[in-house]
Amino acid sequence: MEDVAKLAGVSISTVSHVVNETRPVAAATRERVAAAIESTGYTGNAIARSLVTGGTMSIGVAMSLLANPHLPQLLHAIEAEAAAAGYTVLLGDTLDAEDGERTAVRKLQARRVDGMLLTPAPGDTSTLEQLARTGVPAVLVDRVSHKIKLDQVGPENIQSTSALVQHLATAGHRRIGFISGVEWMSASEERTLGYRLGLGRAGLRWDSNLVAGGGATHEDGVLAMRRLLTVPERPTAVITGNGAMTAGAYREARAHGLVIGTDLAITGHDEVDWAELVTPAITTMTHPVDEIGRTAVRLLLARLADPTRDPETILLAPTLNHRASCGCPQETVVDAPTAAGAPAAEHEAPGAE
């Protein structure tokens, strides 16, 4: 910093004001300082600055590198929004497991991140409860839990799943199967509720034989579809809980010799990069991944600015990507999820009557 000041012919404090934007500096002076910084390669000392300010201007992100198919897109949105606010992002891999999540959170806290974005691992509530209890600024991303008092943002699930059921019912399906997700996740509970809501709106009766407990993996989708295809009156259409299970269900249906879109309609939550590469292409309820990432950062920044504010839950509406796997003509498409009554964003968990 002293070298930069000498080269630019200004005081060290002026260099500090230019670098940290703590006071207005004349344009000509700012240009001289910028040229000096460029020629010297000065980068500043974030560690030293954190000792003075008490913050590191960094955000920790704890997520699974493998379990989330949208991770690159989500991280790009998070980093872009964080960078716009002057923050850097540190990533910790949770391995989508309880032990991995605890380790990732501890390591990020050891790096003195100012706050944390976290996609919870299946079955782990102790880490979330500890973050809430100790007042660590944290936001749950993509997977939300209404039992934990933390800020969180994710996709709306009730009305969007209802819209999928109505979409299939409008095309004439009366036996619509459902492959649910991980039991503990609120998203799975909400999609199950949305499934039942959609049946009611379409005038169809609930049949437990048409519901298979899934999970989160490709193999879960295979096993769930295998069970649905063994019931006395098998479904003519199936809705899956995520992209990985859609792949498994698709594969198992093909293994049984079924023609997707003709013998069996398949739709699912989550857009996947191979959705349009298979024949027939997959109809999906696509989540707003970019907006989820950006909103998560905004929630965290709001929490850092006001640690006493009430926790906020934001649910963002997905959109229906209609393709051939559902076997429906384009004119039968139900606008989703707004046609089923869901707004573009909810600040509380939506209910259903």
Side-chain angles (χ1 to χ4, degrees):
M1 221 167 170
E2 184 177 352
D3 292 339
V4 170
K6 288 180 178 178
L7 190 59
V10 299
S11 66
I12 293 178
S13 62
T14 298
V15 176
S16 176
H17 289 314
V18 171
V19 171
N20 298 307
E21 298 183 346
T22 50
R23 195 186 73 185
V25 176
T29 303
R30 180 180 292 275
E31 289 176 5
R32 292 205 310 275
V33 172
I37 288 174
E38 180 70 22
S39 64
T40 60
Y42 170 73
T43 59
N45 190 326
I47 296 175
R49 188 180 304 118
S50 72
L51 295 175
V52 176
T53 64
T56 60
M57 295 298 290
S58 62
I59 293 173
V61 176
M63 298 178 178
S64 171
L65 301 184
L66 297 178
N68 188 340
H70 311 297
L71 185 67
Q73 183 182 356
L74 184 61
L75 282 179
H76 177 75
I78 289 172
E79 191 163 29
E81 191 70 21
Y87 284 79
T88 57
V89 173
L90 301 177
L91 177 63
D93 186 4
T94 66
L95 305 175
D96 214 28
E98 295 182 44
D99 290 343
E101 181 171 272
R102 283 192 289 270
T103 299
V105 168
R106 281 198 300 266
K107 287 182 176 179
L108 290 170
Q109 288 181 304
R111 298 293 296 272
R112 300 184 64 202
V113 295
D114 295 333
M116 194 172 305
L117 306 181
L118 174 70
T119 298
D124 185 22
T125 59
S126 60
T127 301
L128 308 185
E129 291 168 350
Q130 181 181 10
L131 291 173
R133 185 173 59 253
T134 57
V136 175
V139 177
L140 304 188
V141 183
D142 195 36
R143 297 174 181 171
V144 303
S145 174
H146 302 301
K147 300 175 183 178
I148 303 296
K149 299 299 183 182
L150 290 172
D151 292 309
Q152 37 199 331
V153 57
E156 192 286 320
N157 293 298
I158 297 176
Q159 305 294 348
S160 58
T161 306
S162 173
L164 276 177
V165 175
Q166 291 176 272
H167 172 66
L168 293 168
T170 301
H173 293 283
R174 291 294 174 265
R175 292 189 62 76
I176 301 172
F178 179 62
I179 298 177
S180 62
V182 179
E183 288 186 2
W184 73 271
M185 287 173 52
S186 61
S188 300
E189 297 173 357
E190 290 168 358
R191 288 171 187 169
T192 300
L193 176 58
Y195 169 69
R196 298 192 70 152
L197 180 64
L199 291 177
R201 286 172 169 167
L204 303 177
R205 298 183 62 180
W206 162 270
D207 184 348
S208 60
N209 289 325
L210 296 180
V211 179
T217 69
H218 177 280
E219 186 61 24
D220 291 328
V222 169
L223 297 176
M225 178 61 85
R226 188 174 298 167
R227 193 187 78 74
L228 288 177
L229 294 180
T230 61
V231 301
E233 292 183 69
R234 68 169 181 80
T236 61
V238 172
I239 298 171
T240 66
N242 67 20
M245 290 195 296
T246 300
Y250 194 99
R251 173 185 173 186
E252 184 65 13
R254 293 285 293 270
H256 278 72
L258 299 177
V259 178
I260 308 301
T262 301
D263 300 328
L264 179 68
I266 293 181
T267 67
H269 281 272
D270 293 347
E271 179 69 348
V272 288
D273 55 8
W274 49 267
E276 295 187 290
L277 301 180
V278 295
T279 302
I282 302 291
T283 294
T284 61
M285 191 62 79
T286 304
H287 299 160
V289 177
D290 284 339
E291 189 58 26
I292 287 174
R294 292 181 180 277
T295 302
V297 175
R298 294 176 196 140
L299 276 177
L300 184 58
L301 295 178
R303 174 63 53 192
L304 292 172
D306 181 7
T308 63
R309 65 194 293 272
D310 292 334
E312 185 176 2
T313 296
I314 298 178
L315 304 177
L316 301 172
T319 56
L320 180 64
N321 275 340
H322 179 247
R323 302 188 180 100
S325 70
C326 58
C328 311
Q330 186 66 38
E331 57 268 21
T332 67
V333 175
V334 176
D335 290 335
T338 53
E346 283 287 346
H347 293 268
E348 295 180 356
E353 295 181 359

